[in-house]
Amino acid sequence: MKYLLENLKQYKKESILAPLFKMLEAFFDLFVPIVVADIINIGIGNQDRQYIMQRCGILVLLALIGITCSFTAQFFAARASVGCAAGLRHMLFSHIQTLGYSEIDTMGTSTLITRMTSDINQVQNGVNMFLRLFLRSPFIVLGAMIMAFTINAKIALVFLIAIPVLSVIIFGIMRITSPLYKMVQGRLDCVLGITRENLTGVRVVRAFGKERAEVERFEAANGRLNDMQLHVGHISGLMNPLTYVVVNLGIIAILNMGASHIHNGILLSGDVIALVNYMSQILVELVKLANTVVLLSKALASLNRVKGVLETEPSMKFIRKEGISSAGEGNAGEAVAFEHVSLTYAGAGEESLTDISFCAQRGQTIGVIGGTGSGKSSLVSLIPRFYDATKGQVRIMGKPIREWDREELRTTVGVVMQKAQLFAGTIRSNLLWGNQDADDEQLWKALELAQAAEFVRSKPLGLDEPVEQGGRNFSGGQKQRLTIARALVRQPKILILDDSASALDFATDAALRKALGTLPEDITVFIVSQRASSLKHADQILVLDDGETADKGTHEELLKRCDVYREIYESQFKKGEAY
């Protein structure tokens, strides 16, 4: 709730004026039954048409004032709710940016998307309805009861009985449904996760003919969501009929007692009509309140889910250094060092990396090779500190990685991910992610090194060629070369290529490796690849097998003594072929 109030503080005026105008509208609504009673008792009773017309004019005036107050309240309520939701969404997005890969992996992408969209929309609707109706409805109920007592205290006792019974029904159902709505949102996460998985992996699904199986999996998840929504709906659906029963019983009691009072000359017929109107007003407002409570139950459940993300503390803490450079400190010749490093992912039962030790000197090219699932990407993800080692220590430039400032570390280490990722915009805007201050000369130099300059020049707009979301208008190889160029624009001291040339043909791959050889001598390059040919000329090759170091050395050394490396090499080249 504190996060909601924090964002509503910016809309104090709107948050006060919205319910104020709603209560003003309700205040005028309470006079309508009294005016109607006067029309019946005096106007119709005395056949005074002029009096009737005057009172009808008052009714029209009350209606105009009410609708003006209603529109004004709606304006302020919408302004406050939309602004609050926008602030909450910005807060959530900013907090997600501070979370480490471990927290994001644990929560799941689909859950985070649901909480930022569906959940915050529910909160927005809840705030809107709260400002408009949550104060108006109790005011009408209380006001109608007071007005009933001014007409006849004995008959008004019916209101004293009906209102508590209605309150028990409404808040009892709210207490039952509130946790169930949280379960509904959780099952919605599951449906969204399956949908997202199928859309991103549609080619794999079709390649293996798994369309039917995926449809069945979706239907099962959607069925569970549907069942839960029906269950909650059935409970919530009890609210309206139960409240109608109580209110209509109250109206019957008023008519029964009112008939007796009219017969005895204690009340006029118009007074009984006014009492019935007040009971009807209570019915309408309590139905509104019931629906508002249902909506607020959903909003509170969604707010708790958003709160869960906002209160998730990032496990990875970075120190902040103002005006102090960490680059170049420590061992002058050392670029990256792993000392008995192990890594266990959050929620995993076993280690993904076990007791890894090696040292990469500045200017060296380090190759990382191994079978699928051997831990290659896990190893290089520790260098830019996407994850923290669970055991051992990683040093960058001779300094423990935990002592580096985040921005400085990201500037020192450039990473090209295994999956090429481009953003909607232009080629220029994507390259400038590496360095916002880079000029065209630097951009073209990076493109030349990444073997991307030729196809960029062939585009009608060159650097300003549009890039669709995810780089859909480029081939896999083109996307990989553009992401490599983006990393080179940054001019990092450590460059990591995580299997980022897998979509390139052998000729382009060879040209890329040759171009990387022209980089300044103090740049250390890590190349993760499944191709032994891509690593043959590396100064040091790390061979991983099931998360452990099978061996390390040069290409020639590993061919002689490492069975794992020899098996990988011979699977790609004819056995006995000249090395």
Side-chain angles (χ1 to χ4, degrees):
M1 189 63 73
K2 67 177 182 180
Y3 301 107
L4 188 65
L5 294 175
E6 186 177 331
N7 286 288
L8 271 177
K9 281 181 182 178
Q10 303 174 40
Y11 300 92
K12 285 182 181 178
K13 181 183 72 174
E14 289 84 353
S15 300
I16 294 171
L17 290 176
L20 188 64
F21 274 98
K22 267 295 175 182
M23 290 176 72
L24 192 61
E25 176 198 0
F27 179 77
F28 289 108
D29 285 349
L30 289 173
F31 285 104
V32 172
I34 297 294
V35 177
V36 172
D38 286 344
I39 292 173
I40 295 171
N41 293 335
I42 301 172
I44 296 176
N46 298 327
Q47 294 295 309
D48 189 342
R49 292 188 178 181
Q50 185 178 357
Y51 186 85
I52 293 172
M53 294 303 294
Q54 288 175 351
R55 287 295 181 266
C56 286
I58 293 173
L59 289 177
V60 172
L61 180 62
L62 289 173
L64 290 174
I65 295 173
I67 199 170
T68 303
C69 291
S70 179
F71 284 161
T72 307
Q74 177 59 57
F75 171 78
F76 287 122
R79 186 179 176 87
S81 60
V82 171
C84 175
L88 196 59
R89 194 173 283 112
H90 279 296
M91 182 185 289
L92 183 60
F93 186 81
S94 298
H95 183 73
I96 290 172
Q97 297 301 311
T98 68
L99 297 177
Y101 279 25
S102 296
E103 290 78 34
I104 293 175
D105 292 344
T106 302
M107 286 185 282
T109 307
S110 59
T111 299
L112 294 174
I113 292 172
T114 303
R115 297 188 191 193
M116 188 173 291
T117 52
S118 175
D119 283 324
I120 290 184
N121 284 341
Q122 291 278 17
V123 173
Q124 177 181 318
N125 292 335
V127 171
N128 194 334
M129 292 297 286
F130 179 84
L131 293 176
R132 289 172 52 207
L133 296 177
F134 208 71
L135 293 181
R136 170 196 158 87
S137 295
F139 181 81
I140 286 280
V141 171
L142 184 61
M145 186 177 68
I146 293 171
M147 296 298 286
F149 270 97
T150 64
I151 296 173
N152 186 284
K154 189 175 180 180
I155 297 179
L157 292 174
V158 175
F159 290 78
L160 282 179
I161 298 171
I163 291 171
V165 173
L166 291 167
S167 300
V168 169
I169 293 171
I170 290 169
F171 290 102
I173 291 176
M174 182 186 75
R175 186 169 183 177
I176 295 170
T177 56
S178 183
L180 294 178
Y181 282 119
K182 190 173 182 179
M183 294 176 65
V184 168
Q185 289 299 110
R187 294 191 179 184
L188 180 62
D189 282 349
C190 183
V191 172
L192 181 62
I194 293 172
T195 305
R196 180 177 178 276
E197 196 176 68
N198 274 272
L199 289 174
T200 55
V202 62
R203 294 185 180 183
V204 177
V205 172
R206 290 178 179 175
F208 288 90
K210 290 290 184 179
E211 293 93 337
R212 185 68 253 166
E214 289 302 310
V215 168
E216 290 173 358
R217 188 161 74 102
F218 175 82
E219 287 177 347
N222 195 47
R224 290 191 293 272
L225 172 63
N226 185 55
D227 291 342
M228 180 55 68
Q229 286 178 320
L230 287 174
H231 178 56
V232 179
H234 290 153
I235 297 173
S236 299
L238 292 172
M239 193 174 292
N240 281 0
L242 289 176
T243 52
Y244 271 103
V245 166
V246 173
V247 170
N248 281 296
L249 287 173
I251 291 174
I252 292 171
I254 290 171
L255 291 174
N256 183 49
M257 297 171 69
S260 174
H261 282 60
I262 292 171
H263 180 73
N264 296 327
I266 300 171
L267 278 178
L268 296 174
S269 57
D271 296 332
V272 175
I273 296 298
L275 289 169
V276 171
N277 281 343
Y278 281 127
M279 184 59 79
S280 298
Q281 278 189 345
I282 290 174
L283 170 62
V284 171
E285 291 305 322
L286 283 174
V287 169
K288 287 182 182 178
L289 183 61
N291 292 328
T292 303
V293 166
V294 171
L295 190 60
L296 288 178
S297 298
K298 294 181 181 180
L300 285 173
S302 295
L303 184 60
N304 285 330
R305 285 162 50 82
V306 174
K307 176 186 172 185
V309 178
L310 290 171
E311 292 187 349
T312 300
E313 291 292 330
S315 58
M316 194 177 295
K317 303 291 184 182
F318 284 85
I319 64 169
R320 293 193 63 83
K321 290 188 175 182
E322 300 295 337
I324 301 175
S325 176
S326 298
E329 295 181 7
N331 191 328
E334 181 183 290
V336 178
F338 278 51
E339 297 177 350
H340 304 288
V341 170
S342 297
L343 172 65
T344 304
Y345 288 108
E350 297 181 357
E351 292 181 333
S352 297
L353 295 175
T354 304
D355 196 27
I356 305 291
S357 296
F358 70 91
C359 181
Q361 300 297 320
R362 298 189 188 188
Q364 283 189 331
T365 298
I366 309 297
V368 183
I369 197 170
T372 302
S374 60
K376 303 185 297 295
S377 294
S378 297
L379 185 144
V380 294
S381 69
L382 295 174
I383 299 174
R385 205 184 171 193
F386 292 154
Y387 297 93
D388 269 336
T390 47
K391 294 180 185 176
Q393 179 178 256
V394 179
R395 291 200 312 273
I396 304 295
M397 304 299 179
K399 185 172 182 176
I401 197 168
R402 294 175 188 266
E403 296 180 15
W404 280 73
D405 172 77
R406 182 200 297 267
E407 295 301 321
E408 195 171 22
L409 180 61
R410 299 288 191 262
T411 302
T412 301
V413 181
V415 184
V416 183
M417 299 290 191
Q418 192 170 4
K419 181 181 178 181
Q421 180 65 59
L422 296 176
F423 299 91
T426 63
I427 293 176
R428 184 192 303 277
S429 68
N430 274 272
L431 295 180
L432 289 176
W433 274 60
N435 180 5
Q436 291 292 334
D437 300 322
D439 56 26
D440 282 9
E441 184 181 349
Q442 291 173 295
L443 298 182
W444 282 113
K445 183 179 179 181
L447 289 169
E448 292 282 359
L449 288 171
Q451 308 304 301
E454 183 179 348
F455 79 80
V456 173
R457 285 196 180 97
S458 68
K459 300 291 182 182
L461 300 177
L463 288 173
D464 296 312
E465 183 71 17
V467 177
E468 294 180 11
Q469 185 180 13
R472 292 193 301 264
N473 53 332
F474 291 93
S475 67
Q478 288 174 336
K479 287 194 289 185
Q480 285 191 337
R481 281 177 279 174
L482 287 174
T483 53
I484 292 171
R486 180 172 60 197
L488 290 171
V489 169
R490 185 178 287 264
Q491 298 179 342
K493 295 296 181 184
I494 299 170
L495 177 63
I496 299 171
L497 304 178
D498 185 4
D499 205 13
S500 54
S502 57
L504 304 184
D505 57 64
F506 283 95
T508 307
D509 186 20
L512 175 62
R513 282 186 281 111
K514 183 178 179 181
L516 292 176
T518 65
L519 291 173
E521 293 183 359
D522 62 337
I523 295 181
T524 305
V525 181
F526 281 80
I527 302 176
V528 178
S529 180
Q530 298 278 10
R531 297 176 181 174
S533 60
S534 299
L535 310 178
K536 286 174 64 175
H537 304 291
D539 298 301
Q540 184 179 184
I541 301 173
L542 303 177
V543 184
L544 298 182
D545 184 28
D546 197 21
E548 298 181 357
T549 306
D551 205 344
K552 55 188 173 186
T554 63
H555 171 70
E556 290 76 14
E557 292 170 347
L558 293 173
L559 280 177
K560 293 176 183 177
R561 66 173 188 248
C562 181
D563 293 337
V564 176
Y565 183 78
R566 190 184 306 112
E567 182 181 344
I568 294 172
Y569 186 82
E570 289 178 351
S571 69
Q572 298 173 8
F573 297 90
K574 293 180 181 179
K575 190 172 181 180
E577 183 181 332
Y579 306 132

